[in-house]
Amino acid sequence: MTKRILFVGMVDSPHTARWINQVSDLGWDLHIFPVYHAPAHRLLKGVTVHRPWLQIRPRFLLKQFLSNPRNAFNLRNSLREAHPNKLEVRSVLPLPAVGPLEQVLAGIQSEPLGESDVRAPLFYGPHVLARLIRKLKPDLVHSMEFQHAGYLTLRAKELSRSKPFPKWLATNWGSDIYYYRNFPDHKKQITRLLSEIDYYSCECERDVELAREMGLTAPVLPVMPNTGGFDIEQIEILREGASPSERRIIMVKGYEHFAGRALTALDAVAMCADVLRGYRVVVFSASTVVRERVEELRMFHGLDISILEHAGHDKMLKYFAHARAYLGVSVSDAISTSMLEAMALGSFPIQTDSSCCSEWIQHGRTGFSVRADDVRDIAAKLRIAVTDDNLVNDAEEMNWQTVLERLDQRKLKPQAERFYEFVLPQSV
């Protein structure tokens, strides 16, 4: 009997795509329910995407076109976006002809998911998911991320109390527990979620302990990166450039939001302006307020600093392969994929201890673990990374061994397969 898995997650996320791709060639029947309207990521393959509005009659499309040609144009584009890599796309329920089409697609109509203020778009809500589960009868539901996918699945399970519900594997991403447990409403919702799941997975040992402190009793699957591993052959080709001590680029993560603290990182950069002469500082994934600060550093500190615009994954890897150091500052994170990419490509990592970087680097030898609120210490560590050639060269070799042992996708793919081999026999 073919094993059937229903993923619930962000269909446009590269993390989602890379995880699913690890098991997309095993002959299992894979499905995904998006948590909001978005085109499927170009890397996603071998999975059926369930869209709630694709069952639309030509007469409805004609009506939309006659009322407003732009409506039909937007709808046609949405349909095209839903078919990358020849994905099979199915309808969960017809789209009712209510309200402007743009409002429906944007998910303006929404419903609450529990104690917190998180809401789900109406047509990607728990009732729609519960209906799909009843129709599809998957052997396993795998929610990837807590605050959207996890809360959504929890509510769908509550709506299905009178009917059997499949086994449920919940994967903790990034800040799902570490950050949100600090908010009473989220803490209640996370605690309820942990009491309802059948299996738990995450990418940090830290988060295993936090989940258990919040009442988790379900089996914990082996800790491993949520994005799968790296293509080592591709990484080796990119690593063939200059040694870290000869590189003249500093990479800085540019997120400034609920967790990211790029402005603190840039303050540290400013404090190191004297040793950064002759270096190029590249800020990636920059928030709007960060752009303004970058301009100030260029004008008033004379730094060669720029924003990396809309870089794809391959381009990012090339930058890391030419960078001496990487700086990521946040108040919450998990592994930090950027840090792992920096390690793989010889860029010396400086990462805040709000992540689980200590599970990957040796402080003072293969990287620095710093506090998000200590700009002087961050600057001091950046200064060392810029001036100590032996440190960055030695760290490159040690980090590469870590990557070979723990991030080779040829090793992680079988581990991902064993996830489901462990779970599915009990639900087939």
Side-chain angles (χ1 to χ4, degrees), residues 379-390:
K381 297 303 188 292
L382 177 59
R383 182 177 294 272
I384 293 172
V386 171
T387 58
D388 192 332
D389 291 345
N390 291 331

Side-chain angles (χ1 to χ4, degrees), residues 146 151 154 184-196 213-216:
F146 270 29
Y151 291 176
L154 175 62
D185 291 344
H186 278 281
K187 186 174 182 179
K188 291 178 183 177
Q189 207 160 352
I190 293 169
T191 300
R192 287 198 303 108
L193 186 155
L194 292 173
S195 70
E196 292 285 348
E213 289 173 6
M214 296 181 69
L216 175 71

Side-chain angles (χ1 to χ4, degrees), residues 164-186:
F165 197 83
K167 295 291 185 180
W168 175 14
L169 163 61
T171 295
N172 173 60
W173 277 16
S175 303
D176 290 356
I177 290 181
Y178 182 80
Y179 179 79
Y180 285 99
R181 78 191 197 284
N182 298 307
F183 302 90
D185 291 344
H186 278 281

Side-chain angles (χ1 to χ4, degrees), residues 256-306:
E256 181 69 30
H257 55 19
F258 77 97
R261 295 295 182 269
L263 293 179
T264 300
L266 292 179
D267 286 345
V269 168
M271 295 173 69
C272 295
D274 57 315
V275 296
L276 288 174
R277 307 299 177 194
Y279 282 84
R280 179 185 174 197
V281 179
V282 176
V283 182
F284 63 95
S285 302
S287 302
T288 301
V289 66
V290 171
R291 294 172 177 272
E292 299 170 0
R293 180 59 173 151
V294 165
E295 187 61 29
E296 292 175 358
L297 293 180
R298 184 186 300 113
M299 293 178 60
F300 298 110
H301 292 270
L303 287 169
D304 180 2
I305 185 170
S306 60

Side-chain angles (χ1 to χ4, degrees), residues 167-412:
K167 295 291 185 180
W168 175 14
L169 163 61
T171 295
N172 173 60
W173 277 16
S175 303
D176 290 356
I177 290 181
Y178 182 80
Y179 179 79
Y180 285 99
R181 78 191 197 284
N182 298 307
F183 302 90
D185 291 344
H186 278 281
K187 186 174 182 179
K188 291 178 183 177
Q189 207 160 352
I190 293 169
T191 300
R192 287 198 303 108
L193 186 155
L194 292 173
S195 70
E196 292 285 348
I197 62 178
D198 299 288
Y199 303 95
Y200 171 78
S201 75
C202 62
E203 58 183 2
C204 295
E205 296 289 352
R206 173 201 70 187
D207 292 334
V208 174
E209 296 307 313
L210 291 176
R212 285 174 172 157
E213 289 173 6
M214 296 181 69
L216 175 71
T217 59
V220 177
L221 299 181
V223 172
M224 63 179 289
N226 289 331
T227 57
F230 293 156
D231 182 339
I232 295 299
E233 293 181 357
Q234 177 194 18
I235 298 295
E236 285 179 323
I237 293 172
L238 293 173
R239 283 173 53 86
E240 292 177 354
S243 63
S245 62
E246 297 173 327
R247 304 176 187 178
R248 291 297 179 266
I249 291 178
I250 307 296
M251 298 292 287
V252 179
K253 184 182 288 188
Y255 288 136
E256 181 69 30
H257 55 19
F258 77 97
R261 295 295 182 269
L263 293 179
T264 300
L266 292 179
D267 286 345
V269 168
M271 295 173 69
C272 295
D274 57 315
V275 296
L276 288 174
R277 307 299 177 194
Y279 282 84
R280 179 185 174 197
V281 179
V282 176
V283 182
F284 63 95
S285 302
S287 302
T288 301
V289 66
V290 171
R291 294 172 177 272
E292 299 170 0
R293 180 59 173 151
V294 165
E295 187 61 29
E296 292 175 358
L297 293 180
R298 184 186 300 113
M299 293 178 60
F300 298 110
H301 292 270
L303 287 169
D304 180 2
I305 185 170
S306 60
I307 302 289
L308 180 59
E309 302 284 359
H310 311 298
H313 186 245
D314 291 343
K315 187 174 182 180
M316 282 297 306
L317 294 180
K318 290 178 181 178
Y319 267 90
F320 279 126
H322 291 87
R324 178 178 180 120
Y326 151 80
L327 175 59
V329 179
S330 67
V331 296
S332 180
D333 207 340
I335 288 178
S336 174
T337 301
S338 298
M339 187 193 78
L340 297 183
E341 291 170 346
M343 291 172 58
L345 291 160
S347 179
F348 188 85
I350 305 173
Q351 181 73 40
T352 39
D353 59 8
S354 53
S355 70
C356 55
C357 63
S358 60
E359 297 176 24
W360 287 83
I361 61 174
Q362 300 177 51
H363 178 70
R365 294 191 65 199
T366 61
F368 286 127
S369 173
V370 294
R371 288 173 48 189
D373 60 353
D374 193 342
V375 66
R376 292 186 179 278
D377 184 54
I378 296 171
K381 297 303 188 292
L382 177 59
R383 182 177 294 272
I384 293 172
V386 171
T387 58
D388 192 332
D389 291 345
N390 291 331
L391 175 68
V392 295
N393 287 338
D394 291 345
E396 177 195 26
E397 292 302 318
M398 289 184 280
N399 283 333
W400 179 238
Q401 291 306 310
T402 298
V403 169
L404 291 177
E405 293 169 7
R406 301 178 62 184
L407 287 171
D408 186 341
Q409 66 181 18
R410 293 168 297 189
K411 295 181 179 180
L412 292 184

